[in-house]
């Protein structure tokens, strides 16, 4: 999937933990927070163009399901 966002202004910081703003900044009506990005394996999806009944290999089927 591709996500497109129209941004008039943007700021990105790479860090661990919550933001560390100046105390007076917390009174401003501007969102501050963390947008976590995680990568994980999904369930195997057999190619619909396959012409024969081939089982999903054990080393593929045994990958942990999402959320485990």
């Amino acid at each position: 999937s591709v996500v497109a966002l129209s941004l008039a202004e943007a700021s990105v910081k790479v860090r661990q933990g919550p933001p560390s703003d100046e105390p007076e900044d917390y009174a401003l009506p501007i969102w501050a927070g963390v947008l976590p990005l995680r990568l994980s394996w999904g369930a195997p999806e057999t190619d619909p163009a396959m012409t024969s009944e081939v089982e999903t290999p054990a080393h593929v089927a045994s990958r942990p399901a999402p959320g485990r």
Side-chain angles (χ1 to χ4, degrees):
S1 295
V2 176
V3 176
L5 299 172
S6 176
L7 301 173
E9 294 182 30
S11 174
V12 176
K13 295 180 183 178
V14 177
R15 61 174 293 135
Q16 290 184 341
S20 179
D21 288 332
E22 299 296 325
E24 59 271 14
D25 290 344
Y26 288 107
L28 298 172
I30 299 171
W31 181 82
V34 175
L35 182 58
L37 175 63
R38 294 182 178 90
L39 298 175
S40 63
W41 291 106
E45 299 176 6
T46 300
D47 184 342
M50 287 185 62
T51 58
S52 64
E53 293 291 323
V54 177
E55 294 284 326
T56 303
H59 70 279
V60 174
S62 66
R63 291 208 180 271
R68 279 201 227 164

